[in-house]
Amino acid sequence: MSRIDPLQTFVAVVRTRNFTSAADSLGVTPSAVSKQISTLEERLGVRLLNRTTRSVSPTEAGQMFYQHCENILDSISEAEKLVTDFDDTPKGRLRITAMSNFGRRELARIFNDFSNEYPDISFDLHISDRPVDIVKEGFDFALRIGSLEDSRLIAKPVAEQRIVICASPEYLKKWGTPASLEDLANHRILIVANAEYARINWLRQFEKDHGFSLAGIERKLTVNDIDLVYEACIAGMGITALPTYIAERHLNNGELVRLFNEMDIPIRTIKVVFPQNRYLANKSRAFLDFITAYFSHS
């Protein structure tokens, strides 16, 4: 481990850009920091830092070395956590972000059941339909639907999201029931349009799969919140597509009517997303295993 200490010192100096600040963070003297850096440069045979009277900055070689040092130290830290966590009861706080409607309707019940099983784990839940950078913003997990576009992340499928096209009986009584997709051109269409749901827009998929377009329709209500679209549909304002976890109860009690039963609507996958190359603490592994099992039995 004697070769690790100079790496920790070097990383501290690059992060703080100052020998004194680095020394304070490490609990040693500035002269000890300077000596370790000089010894490291001498051993490697390359200058790692540019030094001035006011600041310190890495050389080109130093910047490359710094990136590798960070990875090495992170790996050591994760290995230590793995061992020290081995026999520990899962505990601590989890930071989780999820889409607004899914979060409101599904996660309260999930978190209640999870908390009954793991009472020492608490939650910081962030509900948002904007794209959240979970690495930058420090989240342990995100619950998402659609494709994964960030190579820094791992996505574990946990459930399916099924979509139904529907309208209220009052709307259909007034406007008639469409018999074909082309008939939708004569109807009011309710569309969700926000950063999260834009990628799962049912109309785009239908247009692609069935070769028609609703681009020229004037009777459209475009809203950036799926809850408002859902309420508008029940109120009789138009036809829309809703996830079954929203629509199912209303279909069963007759408040909504399902349309185009014979058509296959693409099924979307609900994923638990988390940063790759990150040690999964007991609390995180417990949540990942729990939510996977939860949906597999639901």
Side-chain angles (χ1 to χ4, degrees):
M1 295 295 291
S2 62
R3 299 184 70 174
I4 298 302
D5 293 339
L7 302 187
Q8 292 173 323
T9 300
F10 172 70
V11 167
V13 171
V14 174
R15 285 175 176 171
T16 62
R17 302 299 174 106
N18 185 279
F19 275 44
T20 301
S21 299
D24 289 342
S25 69
L26 296 169
V28 298
T29 64
S31 60
V33 170
S34 179
K35 183 177 180 180
Q36 279 204 328
I37 295 298
S38 296
T39 300
L40 180 61
E41 289 180 323
E42 184 178 344
R43 178 165 62 83
L44 295 174
V46 64
R47 184 162 57 89
L48 298 172
L49 297 172
N50 294 313
R51 302 164 174 83
T52 68
T53 55
R54 291 191 173 187
S55 66
V56 178
S57 61
T59 63
E60 184 177 357
Q63 184 61 41
M64 290 190 296
F65 188 61
Y66 168 74
Q67 293 171 351
H68 286 285
C69 287
E70 272 202 316
N71 292 335
I72 290 169
L73 295 175
D74 285 346
S75 296
I76 292 172
S77 177
E78 290 187 2
E80 290 174 344
K81 289 178 182 177
L82 180 63
V83 174
T84 56
D85 241 6
F86 186 73
D87 290 325
D88 284 352
T89 300
K91 57 182 177 293
R93 178 176 292 273
L94 287 173
R95 298 194 71 229
I96 299 171
T97 180
M99 293 177 301
S100 60
N101 192 275
F102 179 82
R104 294 187 192 105
R105 296 176 184 277
E106 296 291 309
L107 292 188
R109 183 173 65 253
I110 293 172
F111 284 171
N112 178 67
D113 293 348
F114 181 80
S115 295
N116 289 336
E117 188 167 338
Y118 297 98
D120 295 327
I121 298 178
S122 57
F123 296 94
D124 178 1
L125 178 61
H126 178 77
I127 297 296
S128 176
D129 288 327
R130 71 174 177 86
V132 175
D133 186 332
I134 67 172
V135 175
K136 183 178 180 180
E137 299 184 38
F139 286 98
D140 297 293
F141 295 105
L143 290 167
R144 291 180 176 168
I145 299 172
S147 60
L148 181 64
E149 299 171 356
D150 192 332
S151 61
R152 299 171 300 168
L153 305 178
I154 295 174
K156 181 175 183 181
V158 293
E160 292 180 340
Q161 184 201 55
R162 296 181 180 273
I163 300 293
V164 293
I165 302 175
C166 52
S168 71
E170 291 75 18
Y171 172 86
L172 297 176
K173 182 178 180 180
K174 180 177 180 180
W175 290 83
T177 300
S180 67
L181 293 176
E182 287 72 18
D183 289 346
L184 291 177
N186 300 314
H187 284 267
R188 295 176 182 265
I189 306 297
L190 310 176
I191 300 174
V192 183
N194 62 31
E196 183 67 29
Y197 284 94
R199 292 178 298 153
I200 56 173
N201 190 323
W202 66 281
L203 290 178
R204 289 184 185 177
Q205 191 65 45
F206 259 48
E207 288 176 337
K208 178 181 176 182
D209 292 348
H210 298 282
F212 81 108
S213 175
L214 296 174
I217 289 184
E218 296 182 359
R219 300 189 191 96
K220 288 189 291 190
L221 173 64
T222 302
V223 183
N224 69 342
D225 181 75
I226 194 172
D227 278 323
L228 183 53
V229 166
Y230 149 72
E231 294 290 351
C233 185
I234 290 179
M237 288 189 67
I239 296 171
T240 194
L242 295 171
T244 52
Y245 63 77
I246 297 176
E248 190 167 25
R249 176 168 63 90
H250 302 285
L251 292 170
N252 291 339
N253 66 21
E255 290 181 295
L256 291 176
V257 177
R258 182 171 181 171
L259 305 174
F260 305 116
N261 292 328
E262 72 285 358
M263 291 189 179
D264 291 329
I265 302 178
I267 297 173
R268 304 293 179 174
T269 303
I270 300 173
K271 306 178 182 73
V272 177
V273 178
F274 54 97
Q276 63 175 319
N277 299 325
R278 177 177 291 184
Y279 161 75
L280 280 181
N282 282 349
K283 62 180 180 179
S284 298
R285 191 166 298 282
F287 178 75
L288 190 59
D289 292 343
F290 181 89
I291 197 168
T292 302
Y294 183 94
F295 282 112
S296 68
H297 293 103
S298 61

